[in-house]
């Protein structure tokens, strides 16, 4: 099981993560990204980590 976390202060609002997330648990609210689904639904693929130029995401194995 994995869990994604987002540092909203680091998010620059590029919106690349929401479209890239295969688990569809990320959203863009017009200013920055947010975790719109259950963070525990994270698949551990780290796509958000790879596409985020600000390094705002971390994925941890629980």
């Amino acid at each position: 099981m994995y869990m994604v976390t987002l540092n909203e202060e680091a998010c620059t609002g590029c919106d690349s993560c929401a479209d890239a997330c295969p688990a569809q648990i990320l959203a863009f609210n017009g200013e920055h990204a947010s975790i719109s689904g259950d963070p525990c639904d994270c698949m551990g693929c780290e796509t958000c980590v790879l596409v985020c130029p600000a390094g705002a995401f971390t994925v941890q194995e629980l």
Side-chain angles (χ1 to χ4, degrees):
M1 177 185 290
Y2 298 90
M3 180 177 281
V4 62
T5 55
L6 167 64
N7 178 348
E8 290 184 9
E9 292 179 15
C11 177
T12 60
C14 73
D15 191 26
S16 59
C17 58
D19 290 334
C21 178
Q24 299 179 340
I25 60 173
L26 305 178
F28 183 70
N29 70 9
E31 292 183 30
H32 55 79
S34 64
I35 299 173
S36 60
D38 186 341
C40 291
D41 286 342
C42 176
M43 298 167 35
C45 69
E46 297 190 354
T47 300
C48 56
V49 175
L50 296 173
V51 301
C52 180
F57 289 94
T58 57
V59 175
Q60 297 175 322
E61 187 171 5
L62 301 176

